[in-house]
Amino acid sequence: MSTYMSRLFPRSNSSFFLCSGQAIKADVLRLREQTLLVDAGIGSPRICTQDETSVTGKGVNRFEDKVGFLDSGAGGGESLVRKRVLERFFVDLVSGDSLIKERAAVKFNDLLGSRALDVVAGEPTLLNPRRFRQTLVWLELNRRWRSNSKNKPWAGFQSCSGTALVGRVHFPSKAEKVLEVPLQGGKEMGPYIGLVTVFATEEDAFFASGSFRPDSRYPFIYLSGRRFRFGEIHGRKVVYVRCGIGMMNAVAATQQMLDVFDVKGIIHFGIAGNTNNSMSIGDVTIPNQVAHTGIWDWVNPNSTVDPADVAQLDIGSYNVPKGSGINLLGHIGNNKEQFYSVSGEPNVAERLLWAKITPQWLRLASGLEGIKLEQCLNSSLCLPEKPKLVVGLRASTADIFVDNAAYRDFLFQQFGVSSADMESAAVVLTSLSNGFPVIVIRGLSDLAGKQQGDNAWSKFGSLAALNSVKAVLGFISKLPHAHSATH
């Protein structure tokens, strides 16, 4: 694991090469068949591929191994190793956030002794007990901190710095995967049900349900700035992430979840705009297919859209008075997605409009119809009718927040969709492309522009999110404990 150790520090700030013949014990977790999480006790744990380590065999998920050291050449040796290790601890204790500081303190005390322990069994009581050694180390580190600002490895740790954030090591290589918050302990990973939601309102409703039980030893990690949380719901292991608004965020978070963790399927949930007059705010829709309706061919007024486009929006038709004059915005044709998948011909895209939800999961979800949903957010804010859950409608996704009655009606008339959001198609297409089961559960928070006055999502968004969470929890309870979903 010399590759791992050589990356613990930015080479621009230090030369952390360790002497031949020495070793540090590391905890190793197998995240996937060829992906390992290595924690040597200093710095942050790091994701490695198996060929970067000395690990052999595939049957064990959690074990201990030795981190090998590279020959540092002249000036190296055990003293340099100890110096860099202690400096790394000092950086974490001074600059880290609360979790990093706690972890660093535990590791520091483990190596040098807790201040609560004056002596250790078998150690002479007056000859450098561990408490005294720890005090000497602290004095020496403080001296170095005050006297040396040029070459110390924490030189980049400044708030508002362009090279690093407080408590986070900056590595120049963008390709490196860094766990920015360390994990607490370890246990066998997966298989998980993946949960993907979008923004804070939905996340608040999810955790307010009280059904998510965090993993006591591995509660979360950060990957690419997102927090992936591990836990259980109704006895099923889950990994949860809030992806962020928009299709790009949804694709990135979903793909990373599928790549890094042992996930058997994705449940995507949140709120959406209502584009179907037979549905109401507070209702929950579980669509059977989702379309990306934001792939546009936008042409001039004197041009025609591609005959292969699935729908056409003539902007001039919405002039007032209708048909009067020429609208220079012309015409918009809705194009199809280019869909690549593990089940398709390699490097050949399929032209796809409707991405279909996994049929087995959709059949399970049909048992949720009739579930009791919340009608009131509080004693003074209630819906006029009891909300309902409907399975089997259609959904639209685009990087557009729809709050326009005319465009809302266009979507319903041309595509027959009952909801509009900004992420669902991205999650579904990414999951299906990789060959994983997927389902979408959305609570309707507003009328997508059909309302009188301001959009209602700010008023009823929390209620819609709460109802979507109730449906998610109900769906998870229907999944088998030995989760083995298929297409």
Side-chain angles (χ1 to χ4, degrees):
M1 295 185 186
S2 56
T3 303
Y4 165 76
M5 292 301 290
S6 68
R7 292 184 194 165
L8 276 175
F9 295 93
R11 295 188 181 184
S12 59
N13 285 341
S14 68
S15 55
F16 191 61
F17 293 101
L18 306 180
C19 60
S20 178
Q22 304 296 322
I24 288 179
K25 185 168 65 175
D27 290 328
V28 183
L29 273 172
R30 189 180 302 281
L31 298 177
R32 294 176 69 86
E33 184 175 345
Q34 293 293 326
T35 307
L36 304 173
L37 176 65
V38 182
D39 181 3
I42 54 179
S44 295
R46 185 174 298 280
I47 289 179
C48 303
T49 58
Q50 183 155 326
D51 59 7
E52 292 180 289
T53 73
S54 60
V55 174
T56 58
K58 301 178 181 179
V60 182
N61 289 301
R62 182 174 184 270
F63 49 94
E64 292 181 345
D65 202 354
K66 296 287 185 178
V67 176
F69 296 150
L70 299 176
D71 191 342
S72 61
E78 185 175 358
S79 60
L80 176 61
V81 174
R82 293 179 61 82
K83 174 184 176 183
R84 295 301 188 215
V85 168
L86 293 174
E87 286 178 345
R88 178 65 257 165
F89 282 138
F90 191 73
V91 172
D92 287 345
L93 287 163
V94 171
S95 303
D97 63 22
S98 58
L99 284 173
I100 289 179
K101 288 180 179 178
E102 179 182 356
R103 177 177 177 274
V106 171
K107 294 288 186 179
F108 188 84
N109 289 335
D110 184 53
L111 287 180
L112 297 174
S114 169
R115 293 182 180 273
L117 298 175
D118 289 338
V119 295
V120 175
E123 191 174 56
T125 56
L126 297 178
L127 183 60
N128 245 14
R130 300 211 320 179
R131 175 181 175 182
F132 182 56
R133 292 207 309 270
Q134 188 186 51
T135 301
L136 290 179
V137 169
W138 270 108
L139 291 174
E140 176 63 16
L141 287 176
N142 276 280
R143 184 189 68 78
R144 292 180 188 175
W145 174 264
R146 293 184 176 90
S147 62
N148 182 9
S149 61
K150 184 177 180 180
N151 296 316
K152 58 192 179 186
W154 52 81
F157 282 75
Q158 302 173 14
S159 59
C160 303
S161 166
T163 60
L165 299 177
V166 172
R168 183 179 301 175
V169 180
H170 170 70
F171 291 88
S173 172
K174 294 182 179 179
E176 290 180 345
K177 296 178 179 178
V178 181
L179 296 183
E180 295 165 352
V181 172
L183 304 180
Q184 306 295 317
K187 69 178 184 178
E188 182 179 350
M189 309 289 282
Y192 294 107
I193 303 166
L195 304 178
V196 180
T197 191
V198 179
F199 72 119
T201 299
E202 299 157 345
E203 182 171 90
D204 291 344
F206 175 66
F207 289 115
S209 71
S211 296
F212 177 79
R213 296 176 55 196
D215 189 310
S216 59
R217 301 188 68 186
Y218 279 76
F220 62 87
I221 62 173
Y222 283 110
L223 293 174
S224 303
R226 293 183 180 88
R227 179 179 290 186
F228 290 78
R229 302 174 185 261
F230 306 96
E232 288 188 357
I233 295 176
H234 299 321
R236 284 79 168 175
K237 286 185 178 181
V238 299
V239 54
Y240 164 89
V241 68
R242 185 182 75 195
C243 67
I245 294 173
M247 297 188 70
M248 183 185 73
N249 280 322
V251 168
T254 304
Q255 188 65 58
Q256 192 161 44
M257 180 178 282
L258 297 175
D259 284 343
V260 175
F261 307 113
D262 183 7
V263 174
K264 294 301 182 182
I266 300 291
I267 301 173
H268 175 54
F269 65 100
I271 64 176
N274 173 20
T275 59
N276 184 343
N277 290 336
S278 67
M279 301 287 284
S280 303
I281 291 176
D283 289 351
V284 172
T285 174
I286 302 180
N288 60 4
Q289 46 190 349
V290 183
H292 179 190
T293 55
I295 306 177
W296 287 359
D297 299 322
W298 199 328
V299 300
N300 285 318
N302 58 349
S303 301
T304 58
V305 299
D306 190 330
D309 287 348
V310 295
Q312 178 176 331
L313 174 62
D314 292 312
I315 297 175
S317 299
Y318 295 88
N319 284 356
V320 178
K322 187 174 182 180
S324 176
I326 297 175
N327 190 306
L328 297 181
L329 289 176
H331 318 284
I332 294 173
N334 291 87
N335 213 328
K336 293 182 179 180
E337 185 74 64
Q338 290 191 345
F339 178 67
Y340 294 84
S341 72
V342 294
S343 60
E345 186 176 347
N347 207 38
V348 176
E350 173 190 354
R351 303 288 290 175
L352 182 71
L353 175 63
W354 296 107
K356 295 183 179 180
I357 302 301
T358 305
Q360 286 84 346
W361 277 20
L362 204 61
R363 285 196 292 269
L364 275 180
S366 64
L368 296 174
E369 291 185 321
I371 186 175
K372 183 179 179 181
L373 300 174
E374 296 297 328
Q375 186 174 356
C376 296
L377 186 62
N378 52 51
S379 59
S380 59
L381 184 60
C382 292
L383 298 169
E385 298 178 357
K386 291 183 178 180
K388 59 185 179 295
L389 182 147
V390 181
V391 178
L393 301 176
R394 287 178 170 181
S396 159
T397 296
D399 277 323
I400 303 167
F401 179 78
V402 180
D403 191 21
N404 180 278
Y407 189 62
R408 171 191 190 268
D409 291 342
F410 169 81
L411 287 174
F412 181 75
Q413 292 162 8
Q414 295 294 321
F415 297 98
V417 296
S418 295
S419 62
D421 64 67
M422 300 172 65
E423 299 82 23
S424 292
V427 176
V428 172
L429 288 166
T430 303
S431 300
L432 296 180
S433 177
N434 287 272
F436 287 85
V438 64
I439 195 167
V440 171
I441 300 174
R442 290 273 185 164
L444 302 181
S445 61
D446 59 87
L447 298 179
K450 196 73 170 182
Q451 75 283 344
Q452 297 293 322
D454 294 335
N455 191 293
W457 90 264
S458 59
K459 186 177 182 180
F460 291 107
S462 297
L463 182 59
L466 178 61
N467 282 340
S468 73
V469 168
K470 294 193 73 169
V472 169
L473 299 178
F475 179 75
I476 292 175
S477 69
K478 292 181 176 295
L479 291 172
H481 282 272
H483 185 56
S484 57
T486 61
H487 308 331

